[in-house]
Amino acid sequence: MTLASALATFGPAPALASDNKAGPRFATDGPFNRSTVIEIARALAKKPFQPPQDKLPEQLTKLTYDQYRDIRFKPDHAIWAKTGLPFQMELFHSGFYFKDPVEVAVVDNGQARHVAYDPDMFTFGPLVPKPIPQGDFGFAGIRIHAPINRKDYYDEVCAFQGASYFRAVGRGQVYGLSARGLAIKVADPEGEEFPSFRAFWAETPSANSDSVVIHALLDSQSCSGAYRFTLSPGLPTAMDVEVSLFPRVALDKLGLAPGTSMYYFSDNSRRDMDDFRPQVHDSDGLLMLTGRNERIWRPLANPARLQISAFVDSGPRGFGLMQRDRSFCDYEDLESSFERRPSLWIEPVGDWGTGAVTLVEIPSNSEIHDNIVAYWAPKTPIPANAEYNFAYRMHWGLDPDPQPGTVIVNATRSGRASVAGPSAQRLFVIDYVAAAAAAGQPVPLPIPKASVTASVGKISDVAVTVNDKINGWRLSFHLDPANETLIELRSTLAFADNRPVETWVYRWTA
């Protein structure tokens, strides 16, 4: 695959600073252009992987959670804070979990300038042990601020911190799920590999710019990579991502454009949940738009055992983890504001070929764990010493707008089919609604026909009725699993006017 826009002609590969040299190794002072990070990554991949050599002072590595939180960046020291530009960049202090140095540079007029660590950039509260260590031992990451909600205040819009993790919000939203630069060997018995962003270069925006460009260097045991993020705040907040990967070894367990989220429980899975809240999750479903233009909705689950689902496709048009329930009464949580957490939609640029949207659901007994991962897994491994280019756009906000008139899944619920009948039989209730339907808009008649299938087991009592409470339709059916322990379910509706309908898929487990 190739990037959507042609990259600048590559010049000679820049020399990497010596591994034994004090100070920055990657984000150094000097000329910078669109190919600089690509050439650094290419040169890095030709060498055996070497983890960061710089050692963080022990005083910082032993910080507790509360001590680390007592270190705060001074807003008046933000990059571009005194320029009146539409963006500002703040820096995360190293310490606690964040022990590997992250280098930072600012690019202006084709020149990169290394940003050295300075304790004067931060305030250190009473919980932080004194004295504060001196030296240029880097940062833990960066965060971008912009006046996304008010013209007179720079809210945090995006943050990169921890391995290759980053997250963003749309206008009026609060942080929820995260993304990663790359996923390698997710849920693999050999153990997962976590690539890290080792350095960032932030291009100085113009005075009237509505976007800012961030370059990042990724490295891990298996590969290195160059990333270019173009961040445009709004609702949604958009991020155009261009990637060049340079594998050291064949990549056969790879996840592109991965999203990571938390799902604890919801309407369709409250078993053994003793909690006053109706639902607790950052995302409640995986949405896919296939190369065949089929729109598929898969409700998430908190399974009893690890489960992995692969949705094979060719030329995917989009996928992502959605937060579809948007009412406070869906959660009744005054502090967490789950209803304001963003959905993340991934829109591939160009043809991504054949592969599978892969969903990993990890058992969790707490809402503090990110137990959901979704990514694109290419069918063909990327060979060692190759170059692999791809691009995509991220939308941090609400569900992507469907084709006009599309009927989407509004809610999924399940429970015991009958108090008097066998306890193993399950009742499923799925509500559908026309996307963007106006309040009070008449429900089209006649009632649509339903199609429900199961990989094994028996489906019965299929019924569709008008649900005037949501101005939509309700599909219900019974599932008799017999002695099965895992069943794949699938349903859809067929309307007389042939309007597009989201396909509902679900994995039932005993």
Side-chain angles (χ1 to χ4, degrees), residues 29 79 87 96 109 150 152 177 192 220 269 272 286 298 315 344 356 400 443 491:
D29 294 346
I79 307 297
F87 295 90
F96 187 47
N109 295 321
R150 289 167 32 194
D152 60 344
L177 82 169
E192 185 170 352
S220 76
S269 59
D272 302 323
L286 171 66
R298 164 62 152 78
L344 174 56
V443 176
S491 75

Side-chain angles (χ1 to χ4, degrees), residues 414-426:
S414 67
R416 184 171 175 172
S418 172
V419 175
S423 60
Q425 291 199 13
R426 308 299 297 173

Side-chain angles (χ1 to χ4, degrees), residues 178-203:
S178 300
R180 294 193 242 170
L182 200 65
I184 300 177
K185 298 181 179 179
V186 176
D188 191 84
E190 298 178 358
E192 185 170 352
E193 180 178 319
F194 289 92
S196 295
F197 286 133
R198 299 284 298 276
F200 293 97
W201 293 258
E203 294 188 15

Side-chain angles (χ1 to χ4, degrees), residues 100-415:
D100 290 338
V102 174
E103 300 174 17
V104 178
V106 175
V107 178
D108 196 11
N109 295 321
Q111 291 290 317
R113 176 180 58 83
H114 172 67
V115 179
Y117 168 79
D118 184 346
D120 287 342
M121 296 175 171
F122 301 86
T123 60
F124 300 88
L127 298 179
V128 183
K130 310 297 190 302
I132 304 304
Q134 303 292 315
D136 186 8
F137 42 75
F139 302 94
I142 64 173
R143 56 190 180 193
I144 304 299
H145 292 239
I148 186 174
N149 297 308
R150 289 167 32 194
K151 293 182 179 180
D152 60 344
Y153 186 80
Y154 284 69
D155 279 302
E156 186 174 331
V157 176
C158 176
F160 294 81
Q161 187 183 28
S164 69
Y165 284 83
F166 61 98
R167 56 185 182 169
V169 292
R171 183 182 302 114
Q173 296 185 323
V174 299
Y175 278 139
L177 82 169
S178 300
R180 294 193 242 170
L182 200 65
I184 300 177
K185 298 181 179 179
V186 176
D188 191 84
E190 298 178 358
E192 185 170 352
E193 180 178 319
F194 289 92
S196 295
F197 286 133
R198 299 284 298 276
F200 293 97
W201 293 258
E203 294 188 15
T204 301
S206 64
N208 59 357
S209 177
D210 58 2
S211 62
V212 63
V213 175
I214 307 294
H215 302 260
L217 174 68
L218 177 139
D219 198 25
S220 76
Q221 294 92 331
S222 297
C223 74
S224 65
Y227 286 68
R228 186 179 191 270
F229 299 92
T230 303
L231 172 68
S232 304
L235 187 62
T237 286
M239 296 178 74
D240 290 310
V241 188
E242 302 173 27
V243 186
S244 294
L245 295 181
F246 301 93
R248 291 186 174 93
V249 299
L251 300 178
D252 59 352
K253 298 176 181 178
L254 184 65
L256 306 183
T260 301
S261 191
M262 179 275 294
Y263 177 89
Y264 191 25
F265 63 90
S266 68
D267 291 337
N268 63 295
S269 59
R270 286 191 55 91
R271 288 179 296 180
D272 302 323
M273 291 298 173
D274 188 11
D275 197 300
F276 78 94
R277 298 167 294 182
Q279 304 185 63
V280 175
H281 50 73
D282 285 342
S283 307
D284 55 1
L286 171 66
L287 179 63
M288 294 165 279
L289 185 60
T290 72
R292 303 178 304 279
N293 204 35
E294 181 183 15
R295 188 179 171 104
I296 299 175
W297 176 254
R298 164 62 152 78
L300 297 179
N302 183 358
R305 292 177 294 276
L306 171 72
Q307 60 182 27
I308 301 175
S309 305
F311 301 89
V312 176
D313 196 10
S314 182
R317 300 187 181 188
F319 66 93
L321 295 169
M322 302 291 109
Q323 183 75 319
R324 189 163 273 187
D325 291 329
R326 290 292 175 185
S327 171
F328 168 77
C329 56
D330 290 324
Y331 308 96
E332 296 290 345
D333 192 318
L334 293 172
E335 296 180 359
S336 298
S337 298
F338 291 114
E339 70 278 5
R340 295 174 57 205
R341 303 200 175 191
S343 297
L344 174 56
W345 180 245
I346 304 296
E347 182 183 355
V349 175
D351 185 359
W352 277 19
T354 301
V357 175
T358 304
L359 174 65
V360 179
E361 296 166 302
I362 305 168
S364 178
N365 60 3
S366 172
E367 64 193 86
I368 66 172
H369 303 301
D370 280 350
N371 61 322
I372 303 295
V373 188
Y375 54 85
W376 174 257
K379 179 181 179 180
T380 304
I382 304 173
N385 304 315
E387 179 175 340
Y388 188 79
N389 299 316
F390 65 101
Y392 56 100
R393 168 169 280 201
M394 313 178 80
H395 303 263
W396 302 81
L398 307 175
D399 277 27
D401 291 333
Q403 180 180 342
T406 300
V407 174
I408 66 174
V409 176
N410 178 262
T412 300
R413 300 177 179 87
S414 67

